[in-house]
Amino acid sequence: MKKKRKLGIGFKITSGYIILIVCLIVAALVLNNQITSLQKERNDIIKYDSQMRMMSNNLERQILNMESSLHRYLITDNETHLDKFNEEMATWKASYDELSTIVYDFSSGQEQLEVVHNGIEDWINNIGQPLMNAILANDNEEILAAFNGVESSLAISELQQKFTAFRTFETEAIQEKVAELNDQNTALTYSLFAILTLIATVTIVIFTIISRNIAGSINEVTEAIQDMNASEGKVRKRITAKTNDEVRDLVLATNSLLTTLENRQWYQTNLAEVVTAYQGVDTLDELGEVLLKSLTTRTHSVYGAFYIQDIRNHNKFNKISAFAETGDDVGRDSFEVGQGFIGQSVKEKRVLSYDNKDNSFHYLETSLGNIPISNGIIVPVLFGREVVAVFELASLKPYSEQHRELIKEVVVHLGVTINSISGRMEVIRLLNESQAMTEELQVQSEELQTQSEELKMQTEELTTINERLEERTRDAEQKTHELEKVQVELRQSAEQLRQSSNYKSEFLANMSHELRTPLNSILILSEMLAENHEQHLSEDELEYAKVIHDSGEDLLNLINDILDLSKVEAGKMDLWFREMDVYEIPQHIQNLFLPVANQKGLELSVDVANDLAEIFHTDVKRFHQILNNLLSNALKFTEEGSVTVKVDKAHITPAMRQLSDTWITVSVTDTGIGIPKNKQNIVFESFQQADGATVRKYGGTGLGLSICREVTKLLGGWITLTSTEGQGSTFTVYLPSLPDGNAVQSSISEQEAVYTDATPALPMGVSKSIFDEKHILIVDDDYRNIYALRQALEHKGVHIIEATNGVECLNILQTTTRVDAVLMDIMMPEMDGYETMERIRKDLQLHELPIIALTAKAMKQDQDRAFEAGASDYISKPLNLEQLFSVLSVWLTSGESLRNV
């Protein structure tokens, strides 16, 4: 039987007074609200009337401004009126919309306003815009057709009447609303007493209802607490709040208490079940399966994957178990720390979750179809401060806070469990390995016993052998001492050989300079005599001059051959391997040797195989040197018949393939005198020919073939000879393609024997106007060279200034107002050419003055040093007049261009 509710009299009285006061306040508020509403409506009417008139007048003014702007432009042709038209045209619509908005919200005069809008549109479409378009198109006929003052004025007048009609209509509507407000004010006075009476009645009724609701809710709360206490927390009944007051708060607090107790009981029960489930597990695979099964069941997950840290690579995690795995594996097999979302969770050592409802990454496969999965949670498992495992769960709906707390509490002690299982597994593994090693040791122990017996026998044999070795060691030490003496003697011999080689190189360089210096004068003067510009020499004298010049050329070639041979023998010849087009060989041969062949009446043919690689890597300069020597000999020793050059692939042996995969053969075949069988071995030796008769008849030094053989070796190949006396000879050169150069020679570097200037030579008939009235300073300590150069250049109209050393040259340049070029010898007393050129450039600041270096020591480092000292160009002695004139013409022409600028 329910107990009656006890309510005090004071409470009832107080409640009655409160309700009465509330009713009075409500009545006052209602009255105030009505009065305020009437006042607001009156204010709105006044505000609307003001805004309606202002906006309609503004809109009317804009239309009138548009009409007047067009008329004023037609009268004044001032484009500012067009800008005014465009401005009003762009804003009138907004003004209309603003007016339409307040009319629509407050009045019923939309139809009148629509009439005004149609009138504006008609004026713009029929008069304003056509006239504006005609003005913009500058079409006078169209302007006259569109502009009609009477029609425009009539339209504007009609539009103004429509605005007046709209405002009149709105004024009448406002007056009607004011009358209605007055009637409402009168009715409010009569209705006030009725409202107060109604409020009092309603207050009493509401008070009664509230009292009953409060009593009912409190009774339900009391009953729920009593039932929960009696059932020891198993009751799950919830109370429904029927009021919105303090009693409702009591109801909600009671329901919250019931929910908390229920969740705590669920949490403790499931945590105990999960922890109990993986107790006694011996392997990590089994632990992963049990854990995933327990958690997926309790968190409503449909997929799961469990990863363990790799023992060898702690930055890698491997999957050991999965839940609901299908044909498409759940999760990747492994991942690195920081790789993907799960890798980032391991890196940050915190739980990460995701919610992707729109683009599901996986589908739950059922017998009825596939269901999209879009919610997941990734949980790292820590042991100390290190992540030892991580698992990921996926669900059809988001995880609740209750599920997250359960997962969080499960992994608190999971790291310890994993470490314990890993330790047990490692102990078992080590135990198994220990047992296996014990068995192996037993087997090895037996083998060692057998070997020990064998070693005893071998020890006895070794003792005997050792005695013999000691005797041999003493003999070897004595021989080693003798070899050390021989090695010292060899080192001394090598040092003497190196010094001899240096002395030989220096001697050859000095000899080249001493020979080239007088040879320079001989060649220049003999060439000038042979030209016979003044026509005062007889035929015999011209022949003498030609013989002198040819002899000088032969002497120069001999010097070059000797220097080349000395470099090859010393192993100090530079090689520059680069690309060569084998199909350009015929053109090279035709250009150089076809005139000689035609002069002797010989047939010269070149055959290049079609299957050759187009690009061949070798030292092109040395290749041409070999080819030129062989062709020169072939043409020299052939009186009739032909000379044939054939370029083909070589048959490659295994030994050849070790050096290069690409080889060519170059064969030079002639129908000349041939070489006897017993002489073929000596023709490649220095200063050797077939016999003395050959020397007397054909000339030559016997160095060409020797140089060809040695240079061919440096290029990685060899040369062979096949010859029959009286029928001709065939020289065949075998060469490899070496893109990276010859490794044997890659560390050897020595100066070039003869520097070949790449400046193109001009013909002897070059225009004298280039040299007329030019002033050239010749600096040379050898008067013969000065004399020869002066004779050659004065024929061109050049004024010569002479200096015998560097100091005199600097004095002349400081005192002479005009010097167009300087021919500078290098080897001079007091101040050599290098220092003189540096002083000219740095001290005298003559940076644009052409300085051409002349020297008989035509080594490559001489060229580089000359350019570093300030030389503009470089010519080696003995000079070729055509080359000299060509170089001078280039620099004198460029000097004139600079002065003109």
Side-chain angles (χ1 to χ4, degrees), residues 2-12 211 214-215 218-219:
K2 295 183 179 180
K3 295 182 179 180
K4 293 184 179 180
R5 187 170 52 252
K6 296 181 180 180
L7 295 177
I9 298 174
F11 174 79
K12 294 181 180 180
S211 298
I214 291 174
I218 292 175
N219 290 334

Side-chain angles (χ1 to χ4, degrees), residues 491-522:
R491 288 175 182 169
Q492 294 175 352
S493 300
E495 179 64 21
Q496 293 174 0
L497 181 61
R498 185 187 64 80
Q499 292 180 355
S500 299
S501 177
N502 291 338
Y503 294 153
K504 180 181 178 181
S505 299
E506 185 64 25
F507 167 75
L508 289 174
N510 293 333
M511 183 194 71
S512 171
H513 177 266
E514 296 302 326
L515 290 175
R516 289 170 183 265
T517 298
L519 190 58
N520 180 56
S521 303
I522 293 172

Side-chain angles (χ1 to χ4, degrees), residues 35 195 323 394-395 426 436 540 550 591 642 711 720 722 727 736 739 771 802 818 872 874 876 881:
I35 296 173
I195 291 173
F323 179 80
S395 175
E426 182 66 16
D540 291 337
D550 292 342
N591 291 340
S642 64
V711 173
T720 62
T722 303
Q727 296 182 8
F771 299 97
E802 301 176 5
R818 177 180 178 185
S872 304
Y874 183 93
S876 60
L881 289 181

Side-chain angles (χ1 to χ4, degrees), residues 728-743:
S729 305
T730 299
F731 289 88
T732 303
V733 179
Y734 294 80
L735 288 176
S737 177
L738 300 173
D740 299 326
N742 192 345

